[in-house]
Amino acid sequence: MMWFAKDPVLMAASACATLPFLAMAVILIFTRQHRRVSAAISLSAITMCLLSAVYLLMTLRHAPGPVQYQWAWIISSDMIIPFGFLLDRLSLLMLTIVAVIAFLVQVYSLGYMAGDPGFSRYYAFQSLFAWAMMTMVIAPGMLQLYIFWELVGLASYLLIGFYYEKWSASQAGKKAFVMTRLGDIGFFLGIIAVLLGFGDLGILSMNEAAQAHKIAPFVVTLSSLLIFCGVVGKSAQFPLLTWLPDAMEGPTPVSALLHSATMVAAGVYMMSRIFPFFAASPDAMAVALAIGTITMLLASTMAMVTHDIKQVWAYSTVSQLGFMVMALASGGYFAGVFHLTTHAGFKALLFLCSGIFIHEFHTNDMREIGRGGGRKLTIPMVCMTVGALALAGIFPLSGFFSKEAIMGVLAGNPNKIWLLAGLLGALMTAYYSFRLIFMILFPREQTHGAEAHGSHGHDDHGHEEGHHGATFWAMAWPVMILAGITLVLGFFQKELEHYLLGAGPALHGAEAHGEGAGHGLGHYVLLFSAVSLALGGIVWAWFEFGRKKATQEGFLRRYPKVEALFANRWYMDHFYRWLVDYVVYCGFTNLFTRNDRRVIDGGIDGICRFTVGSGRVASFLQSGMLQYNLVLMVAGAGALVLFFVL
Amino acid sequence: MNSLTVYLVVGAVLFSLGLFGVLMRRNLIGMLISIELMLNGANLNFMAFNRFLAPEPAVGQIVTLFVMGIAAAEAAIGLSIILALFRYLHSINVERARRLEG
Amino acid sequence: MTSFLTDGLIHAAFWVVVGLTFGGAVLAVFPRNIVYNVLGLIVCLSGVAGLFLYLGSFFLALMQLLIYVGAICVAIVFAIMLSPPLHLEAPKRRIPKLVLSAGAAGLFFAAIAAVSWKTAWKPAAQRGTDWSITTIGHFLLTKYSLVFEVISLVLLVAIIGAILTTGFSRRLSS
């Protein structure tokens, strides 16, 4: 233990990698009946992690290179699989984000989950989630990353299906798990491809070797594409994006955590983690760019029609993740990570605010929240507006800076279609987020036919009570902190950029053309157009939802087919259903059933018949006559000796 | 006559004849007699090695003595089992003792 | 000249002893009459005692006669007298069983012979010359005392076991 205590950095890293797990174990084993104790254990663990993460960030801020502690876990001839911690600028930044968000969410949950029968279980899973994510962030090798990646998936499954007695919740949990698993298969195959083609799973060595073109190009492309499948699953990119909106079934703080810093961020984080490796394969980058763009646009359209407050933010998460993937795929390492950072802040903020509304009004429908008097909850309303402004990319807020960085990178791409797509996405983002804000701020009584259960008397009552209770403040404080972060984070762009890129000269190559084109006159044109588009989106939303005589129906109401298309998520779930029904159930299952009946059962029966028959044939050997047995034994022994001697 | 191989072959012949008897005889007492032959073949080997190879001539003789002791015990037990079996089956034919038939 | 004659005589006597042993062994295995078998066994064991003489151990030869010929063979004769009547005609041997056993035994013989031939036997570097019974007794009571005790125990158990087996079987049958 002495060497351990002598190295505070290692101690802090180990604290992040163990404490929440211990907290989970203790809660699940000992303190399930004592909810206060459970919450205290979980919170103290995450606080320790937060302190450790900040300490690490402060200590290693000026470290010349990555600090790596690793122990060989499996060594087999040329293959080395390490286990340990990799503390470099990226992982420390992400570690801090995760710790901050997880901490705030856990504090918030004190209020949100108060009185829930599964309170202790909730905190245990939260700890598991935080542990898995933090250990994943500081993983030095792809295999460790993969293991904790899957643990993150497990934790999110447990939390999405937290209300397991609800059919839709357990279904959503399963859906999330299975769909991300589809991507993870690709990820794992990608790891195997790296192992076969390169032989080392260390992230640093992979990046260096790919940058120095020491790995065969097709190996890089193949494994990048396969690993990108993991990103597609985890970060809800195009073909696998429908699990994320369904993940709303979990408690709202879980959604906040899931959407900002942990589950979905894991995919983008992993992509930036091995960014030089990706960057070495232009083909994989092109695929990623296309998928990111499609995701971004699709999700934005979906967000424009739903009335579920959480689903709006869910779709916006998907589309912002698409933005990040676009940024990374067009070479903007910093832009992607920066947007990941700011997005973590404001998306957590948005979800936590929505959580307050949902907690107060017991509904997810934004129209009912508006009618119930959502505007009277000043703090969350203001904070949510701040978050929405950041999401739309309006000037002084963090989203503005990161979005501008991404636009700059996209502008550097010779093909301008990506830039156009990005600008379109910005417009839609502003539109749908302020559609939500205005709908809550300026409710209309006569919008919907189903008026009877519109305004609940007890809602107002509950809200009056909650306004002053400790529960409310436990929820309000994290929200305000996050709003503050959202307000100021953008001004640290230069510092962050310097911090992230200062050390890694390897990263500059891909960065150069993206950033270089961003400055100059074109930069300002771009900046202006992006901001004006965002403002245009807001004005558009005001015109349709905000102003006094607005119908609050949206222009899409006039195109019912398009609206249906958007509302049904472009029929992707139907397509999957069809695929499962016709291809899996009718095709594969049928084949498998036949295989099971004919081949496997038949084979087993055949073996049985053969055994019985041969037993009948061979039973003459068991005549019960000692001497025949002896004859065989002696002959066998003699033959054996002869075989070895001659 | 002063070669080790001669004794070894004589021992092997005794052993194999004994083996043959054990495998072939139906009379249990005959099998016991054959086993005695096998033991003697082994004894002969011990003594031959003792005479031609061993560093200490007393050891081989001691081992042979022990084998004789074992043979005596074996004969006592074997004969008593044969007598018990005879009382039970009214025969000392091994082919009648086939309770293990599959 | 005399030594040559003596050597020749000793040599011839050796082969006579070997022949006696083999003859006894054949007699002990093949005849279906159990009394012949016992007689053959006695002859064979006496031959082996002779071989022991040639191998330089007078003591062991005496022991062979005493224990095998004197004790075991007599015990077998007693067993024969207690078992089924001899005047009954023994059934014919079956050829397949004979062939099978001969094959297996032959195979085993080939194996042993092959081992004897193939191995390059090497005498120990330093070989003692102390063949006296005193040494044997000394060893039995010092270095090999444990084995000695165990053998005694085995004999004791065998005696008790034999008594019990026959005693219980008598109770069972009657």
Side-chain angles (χ1 to χ4, degrees):
Chain A
M1 287 313 272
M2 283 310 289
W3 60 270
F4 198 73
K6 272 180 196 158
D7 193 347
V9 171
L10 178 59
M11 216 158 74
S14 322
C16 288
T18 48
L19 282 179
F21 180 74
L22 289 180
M24 179 202 75
V26 169
I27 291 172
L28 281 186
I29 297 171
F30 298 114
T31 66
R32 286 187 70 167
Q33 307 304 321
H34 315 283
R35 40 184 63 206
R36 279 167 182 281
V37 183
S38 306
I41 290 170
S42 178
L43 268 170
S44 47
I46 194 70
T47 313
M48 287 299 292
C49 289
L50 177 60
L51 293 178
S52 306
V54 171
Y55 167 77
L56 286 173
L57 189 68
M58 289 297 140
T59 318
L60 300 176
R61 190 178 33 176
H62 300 300
V67 180
Q68 193 161 353
Y69 297 94
Q70 61 177 26
W71 300 273
W73 182 40
I74 296 172
I75 302 175
S76 172
S77 67
D78 297 341
M79 185 181 82
I80 301 164
I81 293 177
F83 230 75
F85 312 121
L86 166 63
L87 307 170
D88 67 348
R89 286 150 194 266
L90 176 64
S91 67
L92 286 174
L93 176 68
M94 192 67 198
L95 186 68
T96 314
I97 298 172
V98 174
V100 168
I101 304 279
F103 172 74
L104 290 175
V105 165
Q106 289 201 10
V107 171
Y108 177 92
S109 306
L110 283 179
Y112 189 87
M113 299 300 289
D116 193 281
F119 192 76
S120 299
R121 184 163 58 94
Y122 176 81
Y123 269 97
F125 292 161
Q126 279 277 1
S127 289
L128 175 69
F129 208 166
W131 170 68
M133 189 64 196
M134 285 196 285
T135 318
M136 194 207 88
V137 164
I138 54 177
M142 288 309 275
L143 192 72
Q144 186 184 349
L145 199 147
Y146 179 76
I147 290 170
F148 286 94
W149 170 280
E150 292 292 4
L151 279 171
V152 169
L154 168 71
S156 64
Y157 162 74
L158 291 171
L159 283 171
I160 292 170
F162 182 73
Y163 299 123
Y164 57 84
E165 65 275 14
K166 223 166 88 185
W167 171 249
S168 60
S170 65
Q171 287 300 97
K174 273 189 267 179
K175 187 170 175 184
F177 199 64
V178 171
M179 284 186 98
T180 50
R181 173 51 45 88
L182 273 180
D184 294 344
I185 294 168
F187 185 13
F188 196 68
L189 289 178
I191 291 179
I192 292 173
V194 172
L195 200 59
L196 292 180
F198 179 49
D200 189 350
L201 288 179
I203 286 169
L204 289 178
S205 51
M206 264 170 67
N207 284 348
E208 275 168 27
Q211 207 65 26
H213 302 289
K214 278 182 196 152
I215 313 180
F218 79 93
V219 173
V220 176
T221 305
L222 177 71
S223 46
S224 299
L225 281 175
L226 285 171
I227 291 176
F228 186 69
C229 290
V231 179
V232 167
K234 209 66 155 186
S235 287
Q237 295 300 298
F238 162 55
L240 301 177
L241 60 82
T242 56
W243 68 266
L244 192 54
D246 285 2
M248 298 293 89
E249 292 294 340
T252 309
V254 171
S255 314
L257 193 58
L258 202 80
H259 283 261
S260 57
T262 50
M263 178 82 174
V264 296
V268 177
Y269 172 74
M270 195 266 282
M271 197 171 162
S272 46
R273 178 82 279 193
I274 54 168
F275 179 73
F277 188 80
F278 264 101
S281 161
D283 299 335
M285 294 287 264
V287 171
L289 182 57
I291 286 184
T293 311
I294 294 172
T295 312
M296 194 266 296
L297 291 176
L298 279 187
S300 303
T301 59
M302 295 175 193
M304 285 160 68
V305 292
T306 179
H307 283 114
D308 185 320
I309 180 167
K310 278 167 84 180
Q311 271 194 359
V312 173
W313 300 138
Y315 289 130
S316 92
T317 305
V318 175
S319 89
Q320 299 304 309
L321 289 166
F323 254 122
M324 293 172 212
V325 172
M326 278 168 83
L328 286 172
S330 38
Y333 171 69
F334 168 71
V337 176
F338 186 43
H339 196 55
L340 180 62
T341 313
T342 57
H343 175 261
F346 63 72
K347 189 48 62 70
L349 170 64
L350 287 170
F351 267 107
L352 295 183
C353 290
S354 322
I356 299 183
F357 288 120
I358 293 168
H359 193 71
E360 292 293 331
F361 301 108
H362 306 284
T363 174
N364 278 7
D365 192 320
M366 55 174 99
R367 290 165 298 191
E368 287 189 24
I369 291 175
R371 259 173 265 144
R375 58 196 297 183
K376 285 180 203 149
L377 289 170
T378 327
I379 297 172
M381 198 61 230
V382 169
C383 292
M384 185 137 96
T385 313
V386 167
L389 283 170
L391 178 60
I394 304 300
F395 166 60
L397 299 156
S398 60
F400 165 77
F401 295 94
S402 55
K403 232 174 226 184
E404 286 313 312
I406 293 179
M407 292 301 170
V409 172
L410 289 177
N413 199 313
N415 194 344
K416 293 298 172 202
I417 197 165
W418 309 118
L419 178 62
L420 286 178
L423 290 173
L424 183 60
L427 174 68
M428 289 197 282
T429 308
Y431 173 75
Y432 66 69
S433 43
F434 276 87
R435 169 175 171 270
L436 186 149
I437 297 284
F438 291 141
M439 273 181 132
I440 293 181
L441 267 182
F442 309 110
R444 292 289 182 280
E445 293 298 327
Q446 67 276 23
T447 40
H448 210 262
E451 192 57 39
H453 62 281
S455 49
H456 305 285
H458 74 274
D459 285 349
D460 283 311
H461 179 61
H463 136 227
E464 289 303 323
E465 254 183 9
H467 219 299
H468 307 289
T471 342
F472 178 78
W473 287 108
M475 293 196 279
W477 272 113
V479 166
M480 287 193 280
I481 292 171
L482 278 171
I485 291 176
T486 307
L487 278 171
V488 297
L489 188 61
F491 296 103
F492 291 103
Q493 180 180 9
K494 285 286 162 235
E495 282 78 0
L496 267 175
E497 188 166 5
H498 180 71
Y499 166 74
L500 263 181
L501 299 179
L507 302 174
H508 275 308
E511 200 75 19
H513 70 275
E515 294 292 303
H519 295 291
L521 184 66
H523 181 65
Y524 291 105
V525 173
L526 186 67
L527 198 150
F528 179 73
S529 57
V531 173
S532 56
L533 272 173
L535 284 174
I538 296 176
V539 170
W540 185 10
W542 163 259
F543 185 74
E544 287 191 334
F545 298 98
R547 69 197 168 91
K548 281 261 188 268
K549 289 171 189 166
T551 52
Q552 286 207 340
E553 280 187 338
F555 69 101
L556 287 170
R557 186 54 58 87
R558 290 194 286 280
Y559 309 103
K561 286 204 170 159
V562 181
E563 190 186 19
L565 177 70
F566 291 172
N568 286 313
R569 302 179 189 165
W570 293 69
Y571 296 104
M572 272 161 79
D573 276 338
H574 295 261
F575 175 68
Y576 289 145
R577 185 76 248 172
W578 177 85
L579 203 68
V580 168
D581 280 346
Y582 285 89
V583 179
V584 178
Y585 286 160
C586 293
F588 290 136
T589 312
N590 204 350
L591 280 179
F592 288 158
T593 312
R594 276 183 194 207
N595 177 45
D596 202 47
R597 296 237 174 91
R598 301 269 167 81
V599 181
I600 295 179
D601 286 4
I604 299 285
D605 286 353
I607 290 172
C608 292
R609 274 194 289 275
F610 174 75
T611 311
V612 171
S614 60
R616 232 167 248 143
V617 172
S619 69
F620 85 93
L621 287 176
Q622 287 298 326
S623 56
M625 291 222 216
L626 235 49
Q627 284 168 320
Y628 284 126
N629 300 359
L630 266 177
V631 162
L632 288 180
M633 193 180 96
V634 168
L640 210 63
V641 171
L642 275 178
F643 174 76
F644 281 115
V645 168
L646 295 180
Chain B
M1 74 182 224
N2 270 333
S3 117
L4 175 61
T5 320
V6 173
Y7 290 99
L8 290 185
V9 170
V10 172
V13 168
L14 274 189
F15 188 90
S16 304
L17 273 173
L19 194 61
F20 178 55
V22 170
L23 297 181
M24 171 201 66
R25 296 300 300 264
R26 285 163 300 183
N27 191 328
L28 274 168
I29 296 177
M31 285 173 79
L32 202 72
I33 289 170
S34 305
I35 289 173
E36 300 299 339
L37 279 186
M38 288 167 74
L39 284 168
N40 269 279
N43 265 355
L44 207 55
N45 271 21
F46 276 121
M47 288 301 286
F49 287 131
N50 183 49
R51 162 79 179 74
F52 291 101
L53 306 177
E56 186 65 64
V59 178
Q61 302 185 53
I62 290 172
V63 173
T64 311
L65 271 179
F66 286 149
V67 175
M68 285 180 189
I70 295 289
E74 169 258 337
I77 284 284
L79 288 173
S80 71
I81 289 175
I82 290 169
L83 283 184
L85 202 69
F86 171 62
R87 292 222 179 84
Y88 186 62
L89 292 175
H90 303 286
S91 160
I92 51 168
N93 188 340
V94 260
E95 292 182 355
R96 301 283 290 279
R98 43 198 296 179
R99 278 284 184 89
L100 285 174
E101 181 168 1
Chain C
M1 196 67 194
T2 41
S3 74
F4 174 75
L5 213 96
T6 335
D7 278 358
L9 214 64
I10 290 172
H11 210 103
F14 173 75
W15 289 112
V16 168
V17 170
V18 169
L20 208 64
T21 312
F22 283 168
V26 168
L27 205 59
V29 172
F30 287 102
R32 277 181 292 163
N33 191 329
I34 195 73
V35 181
Y36 291 167
N37 294 146
V38 181
L39 281 175
L41 183 64
I42 291 171
V43 172
C44 173
L45 294 183
S46 312
V48 172
L51 286 178
F52 283 179
L53 273 181
Y54 275 91
L55 285 168
S57 177
F58 185 66
F59 172 64
L60 259 282
L62 280 183
M63 280 297 129
Q64 173 88 0
L65 285 181
L66 193 67
I67 296 176
Y68 269 117
V69 183
I72 297 179
C73 288
V74 171
I76 291 174
V77 169
F78 268 108
I80 291 169
M81 290 196 293
L82 291 172
S83 60
L86 286 170
H87 55 82
L88 295 179
E89 185 58 36
K92 290 258 181 217
R93 289 192 170 124
R94 271 179 297 189
I95 300 298
K97 188 175 178 183
L98 216 61
V99 173
L100 270 179
S101 334
L107 201 63
F108 207 84
F109 175 74
I112 305 174
V115 171
S116 317
W117 276 111
K118 288 268 171 180
T119 317
W121 302 109
K122 257 191 297 194
Q126 281 189 328
R127 308 203 47 219
T129 49
D130 189 4
W131 287 79
S132 65
I133 308 171
T134 325
T135 322
I136 294 176
H138 188 69
F139 269 126
L140 276 180
L141 293 180
T142 52
K143 197 171 169 186
Y144 298 103
S145 57
L146 178 68
V147 194
F148 189 63
E149 297 296 332
V150 172
I151 272 288
S152 324
L153 195 67
V154 167
L155 280 171
L156 182 68
V157 171
I159 291 164
I160 297 171
I163 292 168
L164 284 183
T165 320
T166 39
F168 278 125
S169 71
R170 173 170 300 168
R171 200 174 305 156
L172 269 176
S173 55
S174 62

